[in-house]
Amino acid sequence: MDPIISALFFLLHVAAADCTGGPLVDVIIDRYDIPRVCPREVQTEDFIRYHFNGSLFADGKKFDSSHDRGKAFISQVGLGRLITGMDRGLQGMCVNERRRITVPPHLAFGSIGAGGIIPADAVLVYDVLLLDIWNAEDKVQSRTISKPETCTRTTAPSDFLRYHYNGTLLSGETFDSSHSSNKTYDAYLGQGDLIPGMDEGLVGMCVGERRIIIVPPFLAYGENGYGTTVPPQATLVFEVLLVDVFNPKDDLIVEVKEVPEGCTRRTVAGDYIRYHYNGTFQDGVAFDSSYQRNSTYNTYIGMGYVIRGMDKALQGLCMGEKRRITVPPHLAYGEEGVGELIPGSAVLVFDIHVIDFHNPNDAVEIKVTHKPQECNVISEADDLIQYCYNCSLMDGTLLYSSDQFNSPSTTTLGGNKVIQGLEEGLSGMCVGEKREVVVPPHWGHGENGAAGVPKSAVLLFELELVELQKGVPEGYMFVWLGDGPDPLFPAMDLNGDKEVPLEEFSSFIMIQVKEGKGRLRPGLDSDGIIKDMFDNQDLNKDGRIIEDELKPEGDEESEATKRDEL
């Protein structure tokens, strides 16, 4: 069969222009299926690839078919490589067009016929489907379908690309698609990893850009094709979506979005940071977000706890600062990626918001925002104080406030009733004084946090001291603020009857408190304290104190009324 086929399509037959032998004088073309869009028509010297069925006009008998052979026919038009009738009949044809070309004998095999298959003076009928068209002068064609509004970088040779594509033949038949495998195609550009046409067609693209790239056969797989999917001499059409691009020489890209005013401190290696982030690939597809977990990402900086790019990018930040950080794969998860979450060789983009940071060596930071002109008495250990406060995270998120309780908070300093950092911040204040106090977590609620307080959170307290009652040392119920009466018993015996019942003892103590000569432990019931003091002196428990029951000043029991040096 092969010699006959060669005779049919590659033998040049020159026929005399004598039309007396039959009714047909020229080729008859019936374009019975024309595509709606025809960007290109067959011209002389074009190469074409097409399917056909060839039959005799006289009886319809089939003499050849590319379909039967399972392989499209390839030839060049207008240079005599086909019978003259086909050279003429294929002119102006579009890809996917179907034609019926009727060829008279003198434009086919004339009075000789061919190989015993085609009789002399036979009119031939060809049903043709055009599959492909190209020319030796063709170049790669690129057309952008869509493009992001902003494009700060375009692809260049030596870049590494990740892209999705749909690959079709010029006829629209799909031969491959990265979407079907749900995995990008990854390759270096301009390094011979791709067919020459793609090496050319992918240059100058932006991440997120979609392109149609048409590659002629000689810049694709040429005469050999590719396996069973790409036939020989096939023009290829790629619809490409660029997902990612980087260069092995790339460093971090840091874009500062927002810096709060009054930034006096920036992160350094060794600091512990809490930040929120959205993590995306370059095409905007999200892979992770701390916001979705409603929990900050917490880590030490510069100590290898995070990917190298972030370890570097997290230095030099202010509290409240927002940045966009683009991390190339060699500073992220490299060629391996992370399971199904992050593909190999992926560029990562982090939009971060610093909530707070601290160093394990940080002390409590106190800033006085208002101080009264008169400040003679300041808060200290054992004092009973009332204070108003707002407790916030460093990003301004309010956690707690005394306003929620419609009254100031009360505590005794030095009694371990509040966190250590707040104790520090409330010490040394005057009534009416206001402060801003920054409490690092090791002075606050530590790594575990507390109800409503995140783990390792730096806290900001806005404080105002409302009331101050000077206290007495731990273990004391009453202290003298100066030298007490000497002798003591006659002073206690207000009516001079040589005995002091509870009522008289209570009156004596309250007189000392009122006149500023003594102080009861604040925050407790005064009647209860006085009753305890009385019971301590009423040794025989007869409900009255006599002079002999007062212990000498050095005895243990007398310590309840002993002056405390403040």
Side-chain angles (χ1 to χ4, degrees):
M1 181 64 75
D2 287 344
I4 297 175
I5 294 171
S6 298
L8 288 174
F9 295 104
F10 294 96
L11 177 65
L12 176 61
H13 176 74
V14 181
D18 183 0
C19 301
T20 59
L24 295 181
V25 296
D26 205 348
V27 173
I28 297 176
I29 299 173
D30 177 13
R31 305 179 70 183
Y32 61 88
D33 191 354
I34 305 174
R36 296 179 60 183
V37 178
C38 182
R40 178 174 182 176
E41 296 179 347
V42 176
Q43 298 179 13
T44 299
E45 297 189 5
D46 282 343
F47 289 87
I48 59 173
R49 187 167 56 85
Y50 61 95
H51 270 303
F52 73 93
N53 284 318
S55 60
L56 301 176
F57 180 81
D59 55 10
K61 181 179 178 181
K62 183 166 61 175
F63 61 81
D64 197 9
S65 171
S66 63
H67 298 281
D68 292 347
R69 288 184 275 117
K71 185 177 180 181
F73 191 79
I74 301 170
S75 186
Q76 192 173 18
V77 178
L79 297 182
R81 296 180 180 178
L82 300 169
I83 59 174
T84 305
M86 286 297 282
D87 259 347
R88 295 182 184 180
L90 292 168
Q91 294 281 343
M93 202 170 181
C94 305
V95 170
N96 286 329
E97 180 179 343
R98 293 178 182 271
R99 282 187 180 185
R100 182 173 289 109
I101 304 171
T102 304
V103 183
H106 62 280
L107 297 179
F109 296 96
S111 59
I112 299 175
I117 301 299
I118 298 176
D121 297 320
V123 177
L124 307 181
V125 178
Y126 293 90
D127 281 294
V128 178
L129 169 61
L130 187 62
L131 301 175
D132 206 341
I133 175 175
W134 75 97
N135 193 284
E137 302 300 321
D138 284 350
K139 300 183 184 302
V140 174
Q141 300 177 53
S142 296
R143 176 169 57 89
T144 297
I145 303 173
S146 63
K147 191 174 184 178
E149 292 184 3
T150 57
C151 178
T152 57
R153 175 179 185 172
T154 59
T155 56
S158 80
D159 283 344
F160 189 87
L161 313 186
R162 295 195 309 118
Y163 60 93
H164 273 299
Y165 70 90
N166 287 318
T168 64
L169 305 178
L170 201 59
S171 60
E173 180 184 351
T174 299
F175 66 84
D176 196 12
S177 173
S178 64
H179 296 281
S180 61
S181 61
N182 197 30
K183 186 177 180 181
T184 57
Y185 191 86
D186 306 342
Y188 282 97
L189 184 61
Q191 305 293 305
D193 293 347
L194 302 167
I195 58 174
M198 286 298 278
D199 259 343
E200 181 180 341
L202 290 168
V203 171
M205 286 190 77
C206 304
V207 170
E209 181 178 345
R210 290 183 181 271
R211 269 188 187 181
I212 297 292
I213 301 173
I214 302 176
V215 182
F218 51 87
L219 294 175
Y221 296 103
E223 296 179 358
N224 297 321
Y226 186 79
T228 59
T229 56
V230 179
Q233 300 291 34
T235 301
L236 304 183
V237 180
F238 294 91
E239 182 182 345
V240 175
L241 169 62
L242 186 62
V243 172
D244 210 344
V245 57
F246 76 94
N247 194 283
K249 297 179 181 179
D250 285 349
D251 199 352
L252 291 173
I253 299 175
V254 177
E255 182 182 355
V256 177
K257 296 288 189 178
E258 183 180 322
V259 180
E261 295 182 1
C263 175
T264 58
R265 175 179 174 181
R266 293 180 179 270
T267 53
V268 296
D271 283 345
Y272 190 87
I273 189 171
R274 297 192 316 121
Y275 62 96
H276 271 303
Y277 71 91
N278 285 317
T280 65
F281 302 118
Q282 282 198 96
D283 61 353
V285 174
F287 65 83
D288 195 14
S289 173
S290 64
Y291 294 99
Q292 291 181 349
R293 295 189 298 273
N294 196 29
S295 176
T296 56
Y297 191 86
N298 307 338
T299 187
Y300 283 97
I301 301 171
M303 300 176 69
Y305 290 104
V306 291
I307 57 176
R308 286 191 298 153
M310 285 299 285
D311 237 359
K312 181 177 179 181
L314 289 173
Q315 298 186 43
L317 288 157
C318 301
M319 285 192 191
E321 184 168 344
K322 295 181 179 180
R323 284 186 178 183
R324 171 167 288 180
I325 302 166
T326 303
V327 185
H330 47 276
L331 295 176
Y333 295 102
E335 296 180 0
E336 299 299 321
V338 179
E340 296 183 357
L341 180 66
I342 297 176
S345 300
V347 177
L348 306 182
V349 180
F350 294 92
D351 286 292
I352 70 169
H353 178 200
V354 180
I355 303 302
D356 63 42
F357 62 88
H358 71 279
N359 193 281
N361 297 320
D362 283 349
V364 176
E365 187 179 319
I366 298 173
K367 177 183 177 183
V368 177
T369 57
H370 173 73
K371 195 163 190 175
Q373 290 184 350
E374 294 186 7
C375 182
N376 300 319
V377 180
I378 61 173
S379 57
E380 55 189 350
D382 301 312
D383 288 349
L384 180 70
I385 62 171
Q386 287 190 332
Y387 62 98
C388 294
Y389 73 92
N390 289 318
C391 175
S392 305
L393 300 178
M394 297 306 292
D395 66 351
T397 301
L398 181 64
L399 299 180
Y400 297 106
S401 174
S402 56
D403 294 339
Q404 296 171 306
F405 307 104
N406 298 317
S407 64
S409 290
T410 302
T411 192
T412 300
L413 291 178
N416 295 321
K417 304 296 184 182
V418 295
I419 57 174
Q420 188 178 2
L422 182 57
E423 182 97 32
E424 185 87 2
L426 288 167
S427 298
M429 291 186 77
C430 305
V431 172
E433 182 176 339
K434 297 180 181 180
R435 289 180 174 182
E436 290 182 353
V437 178
V438 177
V439 179
H442 48 277
W443 286 78
H445 295 285
E447 295 180 358
N448 297 322
V453 179
K455 298 177 181 179
S456 300
V458 179
L459 302 179
L460 172 64
F461 287 91
E462 297 172 292
L463 303 175
E464 179 181 2
L465 188 61
V466 176
E467 187 176 320
L468 167 63
Q469 297 181 50
K470 298 303 294 183
V472 300
E474 186 66 31
Y476 286 72
M477 294 179 285
F478 175 87
V479 294
W480 293 105
L481 300 180
D483 293 328
D486 188 19
L488 177 60
F489 185 79
M492 292 172 54
D493 185 11
L494 299 180
N495 61 8
D497 63 356
K498 304 300 182 180
E499 61 182 24
V500 180
L502 175 61
E503 293 79 5
E504 191 173 12
F505 181 80
S506 178
S507 297
F508 168 74
I509 294 298
M510 294 307 295
I511 288 171
Q512 310 312 307
V513 172
K514 184 177 181 181
E515 292 179 355
K517 297 178 180 178
R519 182 185 305 144
L520 288 167
R521 173 170 290 279
L524 300 177
D525 176 55
S526 59
D527 290 339
I529 293 176
I530 293 172
K531 177 67 166 59
D532 288 343
M533 294 170 62
F534 179 83
D535 290 343
N536 193 41
Q537 295 295 331
D538 182 15
L539 300 181
N540 62 10
K541 307 304 179 188
D542 64 353
R544 60 198 179 108
I545 300 172
I546 61 174
E547 188 169 6
D548 288 344
E549 289 179 300
L550 288 181
K551 294 292 183 182
E553 194 166 292
D555 288 356
E556 180 182 353
E557 295 295 337
S558 68
E559 291 299 312
T561 57
K562 185 179 178 182
R563 178 180 180 273
D564 181 56
E565 297 295 341
L566 301 176

